[in-house]
Amino acid sequence: MTGKLTMISVDKIPIGAMKILSCYHEVRQILEGKMPVPRTMEFFLSNTCNHACAGCHSRYMHKDEERFLDFEIFKEVVTDIAELGVEGVEISGGGEPLLYPSIVPAIAFMRSRGLKVGMFTNGTLLNDELSEFLVQNLLFLRVAFDAGTRETYRKIHGRDEFETLVRNLEDLADRRTRTTGEGEGAARRLKYGSATIGAKYLVSSKNWPELAVAAELARDMGLDYLQYKALRASKFTLEGDELERAGEVAQRAMELSDESFQVFGSLEKTKVIGRCFLNPIHPVIDATGTMYLCAFFHHRKKTHRIGNVYNKSFPEIWYSRRHLDAFHATRPRECAVFDCPFHEAAVLARDWIVENRKHLEFI
């Protein structure tokens, strides 16, 4: 015996299938035929957006629906889920969440109930006051950063706001850090806010050549990571030789990773291993108040709709017969339209928890 501890390398990426193992008890409840408390609740607070992105499915699915979720109803739902034991809330869309009129009070209310909060945004509506608030109150902020140049950004987002976005992201990173000390010590920078700030690059035929350029910009701006994934079910979806060349650019982008900045993702389509059994861990409520089994409901709204919080409380919907029936009726082939993070997670959950190959009851 040397007395030395084995050193284990753990990556710093806050996204990945391995996280499903933290839901061991929830998965066991599902296997026993019970409905667990969700680990994460997702809200589409807004159905309206200030951008018109190429390949955006939400833009067409929600354009004739209510624009915003009622704030009082939202607070009732948040109170219920906090009391049940939900730990995290994602704010996304739908539309652009920063257009929600009560976005600051909404986040403050969730934090007052002990919830961790993360947000997905296009980042162009940030200002000094809002950026400071978000850095101090969010666990993560993931921003759509789908181009490395102004012209490509305009083609993707339908708005000429690339330079505005870059300034906003630089400002976010600066606000999260504070220089301390004087002289030699002034070079030391400490995290002041708690938020992890990342970029999301949706790769398509319109922007794949600039993935590595965008990754370098994200690193230089002081972001924590850039995640990339392929656009699906669109006329701009990568195929053939273009997909292969995009993969080479993605490899160059990943080579920019270091101790303080990570580039990760995949252009390969995720594969379904069977009927989904993980969606009770992460349901969604949209701006109409409708609750769905999961975030990938757009092409199957009727089958994934389980209730509406304007008519019933969260617990009434969550523990309803309708929820159980919809859960058991999910069809694997319909889950193959878009990439889903639960596809890879389900492989781990099946091997490690369902089939218990790692004997997780033991340390």
mmCIF file of all heavy atoms in Angstrom, residues 310-337:
data_model
loop_
_atom_site.group_PDB
_atom_site.id
_atom_site.type_symbol
_atom_site.label_atom_id
_atom_site.label_comp_id
_atom_site.label_asym_id
_atom_site.label_seq_id
_atom_site.Cartn_x
_atom_site.Cartn_y
_atom_site.Cartn_z
ATOM 1 N N TYR A 310 -54.357 26.573 -15.752
ATOM 2 C CA TYR A 310 -55.439 27.535 -15.589
ATOM 3 C C TYR A 310 -56.689 26.843 -15.038
ATOM 4 O O TYR A 310 -57.553 27.490 -14.448
ATOM 5 C CB TYR A 310 -55.779 28.215 -16.918
ATOM 6 C CG TYR A 310 -54.797 29.265 -17.360
ATOM 7 C CD1 TYR A 310 -53.701 28.937 -18.133
ATOM 8 C CD2 TYR A 310 -54.958 30.599 -16.986
ATOM 9 C CE1 TYR A 310 -52.794 29.899 -18.550
ATOM 10 C CE2 TYR A 310 -54.059 31.571 -17.397
ATOM 11 C CZ TYR A 310 -52.977 31.218 -18.175
ATOM 12 O OH TYR A 310 -52.076 32.184 -18.570
ATOM 13 N N ASN A 311 -56.771 25.539 -15.233
ATOM 14 C CA ASN A 311 -57.958 24.784 -14.825
ATOM 15 C C ASN A 311 -57.737 23.909 -13.600
ATOM 16 O O ASN A 311 -58.651 23.693 -12.807
ATOM 17 C CB ASN A 311 -58.425 23.892 -15.979
ATOM 18 C CG ASN A 311 -58.686 24.678 -17.252
ATOM 19 O OD1 ASN A 311 -59.214 25.787 -17.193
ATOM 20 N ND2 ASN A 311 -58.308 24.119 -18.396
ATOM 21 N N LYS A 312 -56.518 23.393 -13.442
ATOM 22 C CA LYS A 312 -56.211 22.506 -12.329
ATOM 23 C C LYS A 312 -54.846 22.857 -11.749
ATOM 24 O O LYS A 312 -53.996 23.435 -12.431
ATOM 25 C CB LYS A 312 -56.205 21.043 -12.789
ATOM 26 C CG LYS A 312 -57.562 20.515 -13.227
ATOM 27 C CD LYS A 312 -57.471 19.043 -13.607
ATOM 28 C CE LYS A 312 -58.819 18.493 -14.023
ATOM 29 N NZ LYS A 312 -58.727 17.054 -14.383
ATOM 30 N N SER A 313 -54.627 22.484 -10.504
ATOM 31 C CA SER A 313 -53.340 22.739 -9.868
ATOM 32 C C SER A 313 -52.295 21.780 -10.427
ATOM 33 O O SER A 313 -52.622 20.744 -11.033
ATOM 34 C CB SER A 313 -53.443 22.553 -8.358
ATOM 35 O OG SER A 313 -53.644 21.180 -8.038
ATOM 36 N N PHE A 314 -51.034 22.117 -10.196
ATOM 37 C CA PHE A 314 -49.955 21.236 -10.649
ATOM 38 C C PHE A 314 -50.098 19.824 -10.084
ATOM 39 O O PHE A 314 -50.018 18.852 -10.846
ATOM 40 C CB PHE A 314 -48.592 21.825 -10.289
ATOM 41 C CG PHE A 314 -47.448 20.969 -10.737
ATOM 42 C CD1 PHE A 314 -46.886 21.147 -11.983
ATOM 43 C CD2 PHE A 314 -46.940 19.965 -9.916
ATOM 44 C CE1 PHE A 314 -45.838 20.343 -12.416
ATOM 45 C CE2 PHE A 314 -45.897 19.150 -10.342
ATOM 46 C CZ PHE A 314 -45.348 19.340 -11.594
ATOM 47 N N PRO A 315 -50.305 19.641 -8.774
ATOM 48 C CA PRO A 315 -50.428 18.273 -8.251
ATOM 49 C C PRO A 315 -51.608 17.511 -8.868
ATOM 50 O O PRO A 315 -51.504 16.299 -9.110
ATOM 51 C CB PRO A 315 -50.637 18.482 -6.743
ATOM 52 C CG PRO A 315 -50.017 19.806 -6.462
ATOM 53 C CD PRO A 315 -50.312 20.634 -7.673
ATOM 54 N N GLU A 316 -52.716 18.189 -9.114
ATOM 55 C CA GLU A 316 -53.871 17.525 -9.716
ATOM 56 C C GLU A 316 -53.530 16.989 -11.101
ATOM 57 O O GLU A 316 -53.952 15.884 -11.469
ATOM 58 C CB GLU A 316 -55.052 18.485 -9.809
ATOM 59 C CG GLU A 316 -55.706 18.800 -8.484
ATOM 60 C CD GLU A 316 -56.819 19.828 -8.621
ATOM 61 O OE1 GLU A 316 -56.615 20.843 -9.325
ATOM 62 O OE2 GLU A 316 -57.889 19.612 -8.019
ATOM 63 N N ILE A 317 -52.786 17.753 -11.873
ATOM 64 C CA ILE A 317 -52.397 17.313 -13.211
ATOM 65 C C ILE A 317 -51.323 16.239 -13.128
ATOM 66 O O ILE A 317 -51.391 15.206 -13.804
ATOM 67 C CB ILE A 317 -51.879 18.505 -14.040
ATOM 68 C CG1 ILE A 317 -52.981 19.543 -14.243
ATOM 69 C CG2 ILE A 317 -51.330 18.029 -15.387
ATOM 70 C CD1 ILE A 317 -52.504 20.839 -14.878
ATOM 71 N N TRP A 318 -50.347 16.467 -12.276
ATOM 72 C CA TRP A 318 -49.183 15.587 -12.217
ATOM 73 C C TRP A 318 -49.562 14.157 -11.803
ATOM 74 O O TRP A 318 -49.044 13.176 -12.354
ATOM 75 C CB TRP A 318 -48.148 16.157 -11.263
ATOM 76 C CG TRP A 318 -46.838 15.424 -11.339
ATOM 77 C CD1 TRP A 318 -46.290 14.629 -10.397
ATOM 78 C CD2 TRP A 318 -45.929 15.433 -12.441
ATOM 79 N NE1 TRP A 318 -45.087 14.119 -10.834
ATOM 80 C CE2 TRP A 318 -44.850 14.604 -12.087
ATOM 81 C CE3 TRP A 318 -45.934 16.054 -13.694
ATOM 82 C CZ2 TRP A 318 -43.774 14.376 -12.947
ATOM 83 C CZ3 TRP A 318 -44.867 15.829 -14.550
ATOM 84 C CH2 TRP A 318 -43.808 15.001 -14.170
ATOM 85 N N TYR A 319 -50.461 14.049 -10.845
ATOM 86 C CA TYR A 319 -50.831 12.729 -10.346
ATOM 87 C C TYR A 319 -52.151 12.235 -10.938
ATOM 88 O O TYR A 319 -52.821 11.376 -10.356
ATOM 89 C CB TYR A 319 -50.898 12.759 -8.822
ATOM 90 C CG TYR A 319 -49.556 13.057 -8.191
ATOM 91 C CD1 TYR A 319 -49.319 14.275 -7.548
ATOM 92 C CD2 TYR A 319 -48.519 12.141 -8.265
ATOM 93 C CE1 TYR A 319 -48.077 14.565 -6.986
ATOM 94 C CE2 TYR A 319 -47.275 12.419 -7.700
ATOM 95 C CZ TYR A 319 -47.066 13.634 -7.071
ATOM 96 O OH TYR A 319 -45.837 13.901 -6.513
ATOM 97 N N SER A 320 -52.508 12.747 -12.105
ATOM 98 C CA SER A 320 -53.773 12.383 -12.751
ATOM 99 C C SER A 320 -53.647 11.111 -13.578
ATOM 100 O O SER A 320 -52.550 10.693 -13.964
ATOM 101 C CB SER A 320 -54.242 13.521 -13.665
ATOM 102 O OG SER A 320 -53.370 13.656 -14.775
ATOM 103 N N ARG A 321 -54.800 10.518 -13.871
ATOM 104 C CA ARG A 321 -54.841 9.350 -14.735
ATOM 105 C C ARG A 321 -54.383 9.721 -16.148
ATOM 106 O O ARG A 321 -53.724 8.931 -16.830
ATOM 107 C CB ARG A 321 -56.268 8.791 -14.786
ATOM 108 C CG ARG A 321 -56.401 7.529 -15.619
ATOM 109 C CD ARG A 321 -55.683 6.360 -14.966
ATOM 110 N NE ARG A 321 -55.473 5.266 -15.894
ATOM 111 C CZ ARG A 321 -54.927 4.094 -15.547
ATOM 112 N NH1 ARG A 321 -54.544 3.903 -14.294
ATOM 113 N NH2 ARG A 321 -54.762 3.134 -16.435
ATOM 114 N N ARG A 322 -54.746 10.929 -16.586
ATOM 115 C CA ARG A 322 -54.353 11.381 -17.913
ATOM 116 C C ARG A 322 -52.836 11.386 -18.059
ATOM 117 O O ARG A 322 -52.294 10.973 -19.098
ATOM 118 C CB ARG A 322 -54.910 12.791 -18.184
ATOM 119 C CG ARG A 322 -54.331 13.502 -19.388
ATOM 120 C CD ARG A 322 -54.520 12.719 -20.677
ATOM 121 N NE ARG A 322 -53.749 13.312 -21.770
ATOM 122 C CZ ARG A 322 -53.400 12.672 -22.872
ATOM 123 N NH1 ARG A 322 -53.747 11.399 -23.036
ATOM 124 N NH2 ARG A 322 -52.702 13.271 -23.811
ATOM 125 N N HIS A 323 -52.119 11.837 -17.044
ATOM 126 C CA HIS A 323 -50.664 11.851 -17.097
ATOM 127 C C HIS A 323 -50.124 10.432 -17.230
ATOM 128 O O HIS A 323 -49.249 10.153 -18.067
ATOM 129 C CB HIS A 323 -50.099 12.518 -15.842
ATOM 130 C CG HIS A 323 -48.612 12.673 -15.867
ATOM 131 N ND1 HIS A 323 -47.889 13.056 -14.758
ATOM 132 C CD2 HIS A 323 -47.697 12.496 -16.852
ATOM 133 C CE1 HIS A 323 -46.599 13.122 -15.057
ATOM 134 N NE2 HIS A 323 -46.460 12.766 -16.321
ATOM 135 N N LEU A 324 -50.644 9.535 -16.434
ATOM 136 C CA LEU A 324 -50.172 8.148 -16.464
ATOM 137 C C LEU A 324 -50.444 7.505 -17.822
ATOM 138 O O LEU A 324 -49.583 6.818 -18.379
ATOM 139 C CB LEU A 324 -50.854 7.356 -15.355
ATOM 140 C CG LEU A 324 -50.192 6.037 -14.950
ATOM 141 C CD1 LEU A 324 -48.786 6.281 -14.422
ATOM 142 C CD2 LEU A 324 -51.046 5.328 -13.902
ATOM 143 N N ASP A 325 -51.631 7.755 -18.366
ATOM 144 C CA ASP A 325 -51.973 7.182 -19.675
ATOM 145 C C ASP A 325 -51.073 7.729 -20.773
ATOM 146 O O ASP A 325 -50.611 6.985 -21.646
ATOM 147 C CB ASP A 325 -53.441 7.482 -20.013
ATOM 148 C CG ASP A 325 -54.421 6.698 -19.154
ATOM 149 O OD1 ASP A 325 -53.995 5.724 -18.512
ATOM 150 O OD2 ASP A 325 -55.608 7.074 -19.116
ATOM 151 N N ALA A 326 -50.821 9.059 -20.752
ATOM 152 C CA ALA A 326 -49.965 9.671 -21.764
ATOM 153 C C ALA A 326 -48.531 9.148 -21.651
ATOM 154 O O ALA A 326 -47.855 8.918 -22.661
ATOM 155 C CB ALA A 326 -49.982 11.189 -21.620
ATOM 156 N N PHE A 327 -48.065 8.960 -20.431
ATOM 157 C CA PHE A 327 -46.725 8.435 -20.195
ATOM 158 C C PHE A 327 -46.569 7.044 -20.811
ATOM 159 O O PHE A 327 -45.581 6.755 -21.487
ATOM 160 C CB PHE A 327 -46.447 8.396 -18.692
ATOM 161 C CG PHE A 327 -45.215 7.621 -18.316
ATOM 162 C CD1 PHE A 327 -43.957 8.088 -18.653
ATOM 163 C CD2 PHE A 327 -45.319 6.422 -17.619
ATOM 164 C CE1 PHE A 327 -42.814 7.377 -18.306
ATOM 165 C CE2 PHE A 327 -44.186 5.709 -17.272
ATOM 166 C CZ PHE A 327 -42.931 6.179 -17.614
ATOM 167 N N HIS A 328 -47.557 6.182 -20.608
ATOM 168 C CA HIS A 328 -47.476 4.820 -21.123
ATOM 169 C C HIS A 328 -47.717 4.737 -22.629
ATOM 170 O O HIS A 328 -47.377 3.727 -23.256
ATOM 171 C CB HIS A 328 -48.483 3.923 -20.398
ATOM 172 C CG HIS A 328 -48.087 3.599 -18.994
ATOM 173 N ND1 HIS A 328 -46.932 2.903 -18.685
ATOM 174 C CD2 HIS A 328 -48.687 3.887 -17.808
ATOM 175 C CE1 HIS A 328 -46.839 2.770 -17.377
ATOM 176 N NE2 HIS A 328 -47.886 3.359 -16.818
ATOM 177 N N ALA A 329 -48.273 5.798 -23.210
ATOM 178 C CA ALA A 329 -48.616 5.767 -24.637
ATOM 179 C C ALA A 329 -47.550 6.377 -25.543
ATOM 180 O O ALA A 329 -47.745 6.453 -26.760
ATOM 181 C CB ALA A 329 -49.943 6.490 -24.861
ATOM 182 N N THR A 330 -46.418 6.816 -24.988
ATOM 183 C CA THR A 330 -45.376 7.415 -25.832
ATOM 184 C C THR A 330 -44.853 6.394 -26.842
ATOM 185 O O THR A 330 -44.719 5.210 -26.532
ATOM 186 C CB THR A 330 -44.196 7.926 -24.981
ATOM 187 O OG1 THR A 330 -43.701 6.854 -24.168
ATOM 188 C CG2 THR A 330 -44.618 9.084 -24.097
ATOM 189 N N ARG A 331 -44.570 6.879 -28.052
ATOM 190 C CA ARG A 331 -44.131 6.004 -29.140
ATOM 191 C C ARG A 331 -42.691 6.333 -29.524
ATOM 192 O O ARG A 331 -42.382 7.464 -29.911
ATOM 193 C CB ARG A 331 -45.038 6.184 -30.352
ATOM 194 C CG ARG A 331 -46.487 5.820 -30.068
ATOM 195 C CD ARG A 331 -47.367 6.135 -31.269
ATOM 196 N NE ARG A 331 -48.767 5.802 -31.000
ATOM 197 C CZ ARG A 331 -49.760 6.026 -31.845
ATOM 198 N NH1 ARG A 331 -49.497 6.618 -33.010
ATOM 199 N NH2 ARG A 331 -50.989 5.685 -31.536
ATOM 200 N N PRO A 332 -41.798 5.330 -29.450
ATOM 201 C CA PRO A 332 -40.375 5.571 -29.736
ATOM 202 C C PRO A 332 -40.109 6.214 -31.090
ATOM 203 O O PRO A 332 -39.247 7.086 -31.209
ATOM 204 C CB PRO A 332 -39.775 4.162 -29.665
ATOM 205 C CG PRO A 332 -40.680 3.423 -28.733
ATOM 206 C CD PRO A 332 -42.057 3.960 -28.998
ATOM 207 N N ARG A 333 -40.820 5.810 -32.135
ATOM 208 C CA ARG A 333 -40.559 6.360 -33.461
ATOM 209 C C ARG A 333 -40.814 7.867 -33.512
ATOM 210 O O ARG A 333 -40.142 8.593 -34.228
ATOM 211 C CB ARG A 333 -41.420 5.654 -34.506
ATOM 212 C CG ARG A 333 -40.981 4.225 -34.805
ATOM 213 C CD ARG A 333 -41.797 3.620 -35.921
ATOM 214 N NE ARG A 333 -41.361 2.260 -36.206
ATOM 215 C CZ ARG A 333 -41.917 1.489 -37.142
ATOM 216 N NH1 ARG A 333 -42.913 1.961 -37.879
ATOM 217 N NH2 ARG A 333 -41.473 0.271 -37.340
ATOM 218 N N GLU A 334 -41.792 8.330 -32.733
ATOM 219 C CA GLU A 334 -42.080 9.759 -32.709
ATOM 220 C C GLU A 334 -41.018 10.526 -31.938
ATOM 221 O O GLU A 334 -40.898 11.744 -32.088
ATOM 222 C CB GLU A 334 -43.463 9.990 -32.094
ATOM 223 C CG GLU A 334 -44.607 9.448 -32.935
ATOM 224 C CD GLU A 334 -45.950 9.673 -32.294
ATOM 225 O OE1 GLU A 334 -45.978 10.146 -31.134
ATOM 226 O OE2 GLU A 334 -46.978 9.365 -32.920
ATOM 227 N N CYS A 335 -40.248 9.831 -31.122
ATOM 228 C CA CYS A 335 -39.171 10.466 -30.366
ATOM 229 C C CYS A 335 -37.903 10.610 -31.202
ATOM 230 O O CYS A 335 -36.916 11.182 -30.738
ATOM 231 C CB CYS A 335 -38.850 9.649 -29.111
ATOM 232 S SG CYS A 335 -40.088 9.759 -27.817
ATOM 233 N N ALA A 336 -37.905 10.087 -32.423
ATOM 234 C CA ALA A 336 -36.702 10.095 -33.242
ATOM 235 C C ALA A 336 -36.622 11.288 -34.185
ATOM 236 O O ALA A 336 -35.683 11.411 -34.958
ATOM 237 C CB ALA A 336 -36.619 8.804 -34.052
ATOM 238 N N VAL A 337 -37.619 12.191 -34.146
ATOM 239 C CA VAL A 337 -37.634 13.333 -35.055
ATOM 240 C C VAL A 337 -36.530 14.325 -34.706
ATOM 241 O O VAL A 337 -35.803 14.804 -35.575
ATOM 242 C CB VAL A 337 -39.007 14.033 -35.031
ATOM 243 C CG1 VAL A 337 -38.979 15.284 -35.904
ATOM 244 C CG2 VAL A 337 -40.100 13.078 -35.495
#
